Amino acid sequence: MGLVFASAASAQTNSAVPIPLKVFDPSFIDTSVNACQDFFSFANGGWVKRDTIPAAFSSSGVSKDMTDRNELVVRSVLEDAMARRHSMPAGSTVAKLGTYYASCMDTARAEREGLAPIKPELDKIAAISTRAGVVAEVTSLQKMGVNALFNFFPSADPKDAAHYIAWATQGGLGMPDRDYYTKTDAATDSLRQKYLAHITRTLVLAGESQTAAAEAARKVMALETELAKASMTRVERRDPNKSYHKTSVADLSKMAPAIDWPLYFRSSGVTAPIGFVNVGQPEFMKRASALLTTLPIEDWRAYLKYHLLSSASRWLSTPFVNEDFAYNSLYSGAKELLPRWKRCLRSADNQLGEALGEAYVAQTFSPEAKAQAKQVIDDIRASFRDRLQKLTWMSDSTRRFALAKLESMNEKVGYPDKWRDYTKLRMTDGSFVTNVQNADVFEWERIANRPGQPVDKTEWDMTVPTVNAYYDPSINEMVFPAGALAPQTFDATGDLASNYGSLGGSWAGHELTHGFDDEGRRYDAKGNLLDWWQPADSVAFTKQAKLIVDQFNGYVQVDTIHVNGDLTLGENLADFGGLVTAYDALERALARTGKREVIDGYTPEQRFFIAYAQSWRSHTRPEQLRTRVKTDPHAPAEWRTNGPVSNMPEFAQAFHCKPGDPMVRSANLIPHIW
Ligand SMILES: [Zn+2]
């Protein structure tokens, strides 16, 4: 199938009725597959055989199914806000939400206006004539959310987790990772050629001649290649110590003298005094500064123009939207655009998520569901505590710190206690691009003056309808949005064993273990980057973790490309720790409740493992798998299932697998970390 482009006249696609989801679904099982040979295919193969990835998606499965359902709820919230926006007080959050969504859905306006919404900024870029002017424009674009040169933002100080510090980190690339600029294989080279062609076409759409656009594209590529070469790899960035360089402003001015830093802070709207900046990648900042000094100003004009266009294209008229989609589909494999309402909804969730969250929760998440989910999480905590207490390789000194860290680990379940105040957000009835930029400016101004302030521990990094969860090492907390706490993850009225496999293993156990994975273990109970490990314990941990690195290096990701065991180590540790902990929690819950019945022919232990495997039910396009091997710290779903279960004797026992079966790894290869 070729690419299907949006057309200005296309009708809105009707939303599909979502399929009812179960935490454990026997109809997904392929009974022709032996569970001991390939457990992922056993648990999900029935579904995989029937599934076709919809054209607008790069993958299908649990995440897509749950997101589709959640988005129908969010859509009703947005449509209601849109209908009521003129009858509500103008400054109210509902009116702003309605205005945002209405301006996004106004495709006639986007077609009519073409490039007009970003014309003033393009004119500013065209008029840049000095090096100081380049830096001023970088600053201005960053505030609007454009990916220009580097990232600047406040976040917790890794060595003083109670306070924010300003961060300056590598950024500014148009391809998804620095490796795309540095790898020399034919496939990567072909993507670089396609990127050049995309930049050229984008600049032609913006009015440049073919020759001028091609020349400008080469300048953009050359500039980004220099930035890429000075960027750290994703594997290097997994070590938080390598990205910690607390630097005084005086030293920063020596490191990157092309930027007048006090002026940069002022222009960014930072009025708080900034004494120090955490420079994530000093080599990158040095190179960026050198390029600001040496490259011709016209190269910078080309670079900034392309990045402004790239950032706005998806919301401009159809030729821009299609060009942007065609480029991005090289990485996602998607064959057609998502319907407009989904694109608008995702933008609203991304930018104004907490304005949506309150209404979403009222419709979807009951106090009973919250209480049940918390019970599972409590059992996970207790089981992990038991495991820590029994670890033979860990010294008592390290163990005391580990137990204290577990004890003080915070959790957030469902939705925030207080919702964000959107009073200062400006929304207009004008172009959607302007509202997107307004929302970016609002967000920037909300946080810009945080450096030096105490960290706000009530904040959420994911919105409520999100089908995901996270562990934040700088606060030592795990967070589970309501959008994830529903079938297929969890069913408050459903089978206990299945809930422990899915919510317990893939979610709660997984996030909790992140606090103790190769990255999380470097932070203490309060979130400070501080080594609390006895040296011998660190050595023992690393030796065990190496078994997981080797295990995943052995798996094929796509084509002949193997999984990157180093890049995915933290997630693979979290999966394995999550599953073994959840298994203990299941036994704890079974002992408490006595619910040992066989359902659909499967024992509680079997349903536990099947629900775990089904929580990874997915089907992914090869283009997406190729992108993820470079950019995604998660291994493919198949290995997130088969990897951990084949390290568990309890699995072999539950399914009567024998030594030598593919799902039974030999004892000397099995890590004993937790
Ligand atoms: Zn994770």
Short mmCIF file of all heavy atoms in Angstrom, two decimals, residues 510 514 571 634, ligand 1:
data_model
loop_
_atom_site.label_atom_id
_atom_site.label_comp_id
_atom_site.label_asym_id
_atom_site.label_seq_id
_atom_site.Cartn_x
_atom_site.Cartn_y
_atom_site.Cartn_z
N HIS A 510 7.22 -3.24 37.42
CA HIS A 510 8.16 -2.65 36.47
C HIS A 510 8.61 -1.26 36.94
O HIS A 510 9.81 -0.99 37.02
CB HIS A 510 7.48 -2.58 35.09
CG HIS A 510 8.29 -1.89 34.04
ND1 HIS A 510 9.03 -2.56 33.10
CD2 HIS A 510 8.48 -0.57 33.78
CE1 HIS A 510 9.64 -1.70 32.32
NE2 HIS A 510 9.32 -0.47 32.71
N HIS A 514 12.38 0.12 38.47
CA HIS A 514 13.19 1.20 37.89
C HIS A 514 13.97 1.97 38.98
O HIS A 514 15.04 2.51 38.70
CB HIS A 514 12.32 2.19 37.12
CG HIS A 514 12.14 1.82 35.67
ND1 HIS A 514 13.19 1.40 34.88
CD2 HIS A 514 11.04 1.82 34.86
CE1 HIS A 514 12.73 1.15 33.65
NE2 HIS A 514 11.45 1.39 33.61
N GLU A 571 15.21 -1.03 31.03
CA GLU A 571 13.84 -1.53 30.84
C GLU A 571 13.78 -3.04 31.02
O GLU A 571 12.82 -3.57 31.58
CB GLU A 571 13.33 -1.13 29.45
CG GLU A 571 13.18 0.37 29.26
CD GLU A 571 12.21 1.00 30.24
OE1 GLU A 571 11.29 0.30 30.72
OE2 GLU A 571 12.37 2.20 30.54
N HIS A 634 13.25 0.48 25.09
CA HIS A 634 12.47 -0.75 25.30
C HIS A 634 12.75 -1.74 24.18
O HIS A 634 12.76 -1.38 23.01
CB HIS A 634 10.97 -0.44 25.31
CG HIS A 634 10.56 0.58 26.32
ND1 HIS A 634 10.57 1.92 26.04
CD2 HIS A 634 10.14 0.46 27.60
CE1 HIS A 634 10.17 2.59 27.11
NE2 HIS A 634 9.91 1.73 28.08
ZN ZN B 1 10.13 1.32 32.04
#
